[in-house]
């Protein structure tokens, strides 16, 4: 049986290889999805904003909130207190859930704050973003038009605009997303271990980053790259051990009456990740009715790019957004930062991909007698 990755690579730019009916079907589906998003996403964002406002109204202390919680935990860890004792105490005091154990963040970021400070983590994020920009420049094919190449680099930089927020160093998903982006653009079959290191660090910061490693493992198996398979399996084994220890330390400090999470089965739909992209990227400056449809186009750009890079990106983003649509609650919208800033760069590739679809349909029609 032919390796599906070899077949995909042989297509070059896959959207340009579609038959006329296929191009028309993709364009029709895209138009319908963009039209739907223009009206369906805004209510999700409004409902989340109303929930946050109502929650704030019931709190006497307006300093409450996720970032305020992480700030208090980090301040105490920096002062020398043990992470798990502090995290459990602060979450309990703020009526945050501690059940199941994954509601308590891994200690990695707080320990990093102790080592280099919150602002130091923010500066680290800026270094990771700069490195990702340089590596993407090297990764893109030399035949790519200069305007498209520069557009991708600028959009990648803009995708990391959240680093401008003073509290950026407190956001687990932001740092993990930057590490995953670096792992993605840095990957080379001849030198894959730096990508593995970046992806492993991302998992240590936010365990949801494991989705990236699982996809990479699937690619490595299909390509029969057994050394990569062994290394990726070892990373997953380390993650399992790390989560086992995390469970142990959280359970040791649990008290009767500690609140439990609502769970992650909200089935919020695709509107949730699109709302998140509209809110957490430079699309924020646009009305939601315009930002939400535009948030779909980077996916088209990555898919149209083709090759291993385009396929990996498309599967990574599609899978993560599908998981958000199925499991995330509206207040979990920040999960989408695990795909940033890489996802935003795909917007630079979208015009050519759309042009190929439209041109394929139009030229095929012209050839008919």
């Amino acid at each position: 049986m032919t390796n599906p990755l070899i077949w995909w690579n042989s297509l070059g730019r896959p959207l340009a290889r579609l038959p006329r009916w296929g191009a028309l079907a993709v364009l029709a589906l895209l138009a319908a999805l963009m039209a739907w998003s223009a009206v369906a996403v805004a209510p999700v964002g409004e409902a989340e904003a109303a929930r946050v406002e109502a929650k704030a109204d019931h709190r006497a202390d307006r300093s409450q909130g996720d970032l305020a919680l992480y700030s208090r935990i980090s301040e105490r860890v920096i002062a020398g207190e043990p992470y798990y004792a502090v995290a459990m105490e602060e979450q309990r005091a703020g009526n945050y859930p501690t059940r199941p154990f994954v509601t308590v963040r891994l200690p990695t970021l707080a320990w990093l704050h102790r080592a280099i400070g919150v602002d130091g983590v923010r500066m680290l994020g800026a270094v990771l973003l700069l490195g990702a920009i340089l590596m993407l420049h090297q990764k893109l094919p030399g035949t790519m038009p200069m305007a498209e190449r520069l557009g991708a680099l600028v959009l990648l930089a803009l995708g990391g605009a959240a680093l401008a927020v003073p509290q950026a160093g407190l956001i687990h998903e932001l740092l993990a997303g930057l590490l995953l982006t670096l792992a993605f653009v840095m990957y080379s079959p001849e030198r894959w271990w730096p990508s593995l290191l970046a992806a492993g660090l991302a998992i240590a910061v936010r365990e949801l980053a494991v989705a990236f490693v699982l996809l990479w493992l699937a690619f490595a198996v299909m390509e029969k790259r057994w050394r990569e398979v062994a290394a990726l399996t070892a990373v997953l084994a380390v993650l399992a051990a790390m989560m086992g220890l995390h469970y142990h330390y959280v359970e040791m400090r649990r008290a009767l009456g500690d609140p439990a999470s609502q769970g992650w089965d909200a089935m919020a739909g695709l509107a949730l990740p699109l709302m998140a992209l509209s809110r957490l990227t430079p699309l924020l400056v646009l009305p939601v009715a315009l930002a939400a449809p535009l948030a779909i186009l980077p996916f088209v750009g990555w898919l149209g790019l083709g090759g291993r890079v385009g396929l990996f990106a498309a599967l990574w983003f599609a899978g993560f957004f599908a998981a958000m649509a199925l499991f995330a609650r509206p207040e979990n919208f920040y999960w989408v930062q695990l795909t940033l800033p890489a996802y935003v760069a795909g917007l630079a590739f979208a015009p050519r991909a759309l042009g190929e679809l439209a041109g394929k349909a139009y030229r095929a029609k012209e050839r008919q007698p």
Side-chain angles (χ1 to χ4, degrees):
M1 182 178 177
T2 304
N3 186 321
L5 293 180
I6 295 176
W7 169 79
W8 177 266
N9 288 331
S10 71
L11 295 178
R13 294 188 60 86
L15 298 182
R17 298 289 296 273
L18 289 173
R20 179 172 181 258
W21 66 266
L24 288 172
V26 172
L27 287 171
L29 177 62
L30 180 61
L33 187 59
M34 293 179 73
W36 166 82
S37 68
V39 297
V41 172
V44 176
E46 292 166 1
E48 169 57 11
R51 185 199 67 82
V52 171
E53 183 177 352
K55 192 173 182 180
D57 288 342
H58 285 84
R59 282 174 171 159
D61 182 0
R62 296 306 179 96
S63 68
Q64 296 292 318
D66 289 359
L67 293 185
L69 170 69
Y70 301 147
S71 179
R72 290 193 300 273
I73 292 172
S74 289
E75 286 173 3
R76 294 178 61 181
V77 170
I78 290 170
E81 295 186 61
Y83 172 77
Y84 283 99
V86 167
M88 295 294 285
E89 182 179 323
E90 290 290 348
Q91 292 196 202
R92 193 175 294 124
N95 199 34
Y96 281 88
T98 62
R99 292 183 291 148
F101 73 102
V102 290
T103 57
V104 179
R105 291 286 181 266
L106 290 167
T108 312
L109 188 59
W111 288 344
L112 197 54
H113 291 156
R114 179 189 291 173
I116 62 175
V118 175
D119 288 337
V121 171
R122 186 180 172 203
M123 292 303 102
L124 174 61
V127 171
L128 293 173
L129 179 60
L130 178 60
I133 293 170
L134 295 174
M135 295 307 300
L136 180 62
H137 175 64
Q138 293 184 15
K139 193 174 192 68
L140 294 176
T143 56
M144 177 173 286
M146 184 57 65
E148 192 170 294
R149 175 184 294 271
L150 290 177
L153 300 179
V154 169
L155 285 167
L156 186 68
L158 291 175
L163 286 168
V165 177
Q167 300 88 357
L170 295 167
I171 305 172
H172 300 75
E173 291 77 12
L174 176 59
L175 180 59
L178 287 164
L179 285 164
L180 290 182
T181 293
L182 185 61
F184 170 60
V185 298
M186 197 165 40
Y187 175 81
S188 167
E190 294 77 29
R191 194 167 181 267
W192 47 265
W193 67 263
S195 290
L196 185 68
L197 177 61
L201 291 173
I203 293 174
V205 173
R206 191 67 167 100
E207 68 279 1
L208 293 179
V210 71
F212 180 95
V213 173
L214 290 172
L215 178 61
W216 183 357
L217 178 61
F219 269 62
V221 170
M222 284 190 289
E223 294 171 317
K224 299 181 179 179
R225 302 181 60 82
W226 302 122
R227 290 182 65 186
E228 279 183 48
V229 169
L232 290 163
T233 302
V235 167
L236 294 174
V238 170
L239 170 64
M242 181 174 65
M243 295 306 292
L245 287 172
H246 185 59
Y247 169 81
H248 171 72
Y249 286 118
V250 170
E251 288 295 316
M252 277 179 58
R253 291 163 176 81
R254 178 162 296 143
L256 286 174
D258 277 359
S261 170
Q262 304 170 44
W264 297 275
D265 55 356
M267 301 288 288
L270 185 59
L272 178 57
L274 291 177
M275 180 273 285
L277 290 167
S278 301
R279 182 181 292 188
L280 297 175
T281 68
L283 294 173
L284 176 66
V285 302
L286 300 175
V288 175
L290 181 57
L294 289 177
I296 299 170
L297 294 181
F299 178 79
V300 178
W302 281 115
L303 182 63
L305 186 64
R308 186 190 190 279
V309 173
L311 180 61
F312 189 98
L315 292 176
W316 173 23
F317 301 136
F320 197 85
F321 297 157
M324 284 190 67
L326 292 172
F327 305 117
R329 302 190 305 272
E331 58 265 35
N332 301 136
F333 69 92
Y334 54 84
W335 288 3
V336 83
Q337 288 180 302
L338 285 162
T339 67
L340 300 178
Y343 181 73
V344 179
L347 188 59
F349 312 136
R352 183 152 56 128
L354 292 172
E356 288 169 345
L357 286 170
K360 188 76 176 180
Y362 178 72
R363 284 194 296 270
K365 184 177 180 180
E366 271 191 336
R367 288 197 296 269
Q368 291 180 355

